[in-house]
Amino acid sequence: MTSTRLAVEAWEALFRTQASLIRRFGEQDVWAPEHGVGLREYDVLYSLSSADGGRSRLGALAEAVLLPQPSLSRLVDRLVARGLLAREPDPADRRGVVLVLTDTGLAVQREVGRRHAASIAAALGEHLDDEQLLVLRDLCLAIGGRAAAPPG
């Protein structure tokens, strides 16, 4: 039987660590402000780059980036205005719209992604070796996390 106290302590440690890392990553100079890309925008670009053909419906993308649809819609509008995403009719449902990563969006995602991956490796590598990273990954997946599942 799981101890309630231990479960709460583990949750608090996980939550605070995640919040601290997100804050740290958000403050780093890895983003592409010239393209209007910060941490949240990058998450959208990354999720679309992982999706089949760089395409996704808004609802599936919202699940992938863990944002409510109204917030994601505003963010998508900004990325479309910057030429990083495009909207196209959904060939499977003419009433729907598919978000598509443009060539420019993919180039920005790759450029920022290399820098962001290096910052993640540095931040986690300060405290964990490869064996510990495997354990951390496996524990998170066991709790219910998903390995980088592409949206839609």
Side-chain angles (χ1 to χ4, degrees), residues 60-100:
L61 186 59
E63 282 186 34
V65 299
L66 306 175
L67 280 176
Q69 278 196 17
S71 297
L72 179 59
S73 291
R74 289 187 296 275
L75 192 149
V76 163
D77 288 344
R78 293 190 301 270
L79 293 173
V80 168
R82 292 181 180 104
L84 303 177
L85 301 182
R87 289 186 178 91
E88 294 181 359
D90 186 345
D93 177 3
R94 296 264 183 222
R95 298 170 295 157
V97 172
V98 175
L99 299 169
V100 180

Side-chain angles (χ1 to χ4, degrees), residues 29-150:
D29 189 26
V30 301
W31 311 111
E34 67 277 13
H35 294 289
V37 173
L39 185 59
R40 290 220 181 254
E41 293 81 7
Y42 174 76
D43 196 16
V44 170
L45 298 178
Y46 173 79
S47 294
L48 278 171
S49 75
S50 301
D52 186 29
R55 306 162 122 43
S56 178
R57 295 210 41 166
L58 185 65
L61 186 59
E63 282 186 34
V65 299
L66 306 175
L67 280 176
Q69 278 196 17
S71 297
L72 179 59
S73 291
R74 289 187 296 275
L75 192 149
V76 163
D77 288 344
R78 293 190 301 270
L79 293 173
V80 168
R82 292 181 180 104
L84 303 177
L85 301 182
R87 289 186 178 91
E88 294 181 359
D90 186 345
D93 177 3
R94 296 264 183 222
R95 298 170 295 157
V97 172
V98 175
L99 299 169
V100 180
L101 188 61
T102 65
D103 290 342
T104 302
L106 181 59
V108 169
Q109 184 278 319
R110 286 180 176 161
E111 173 190 331
V112 172
R114 282 189 291 276
R115 295 189 305 249
H116 185 43
S119 70
I120 291 169
L124 295 181
E126 288 176 14
H127 307 284
L128 304 173
D129 61 26
D130 285 353
E131 184 177 322
Q132 291 169 316
L133 288 171
L134 285 170
V135 170
L136 177 61
R137 181 201 62 195
D138 292 347
L139 287 170
C140 290
L141 291 172
I143 292 169
R146 293 179 286 168

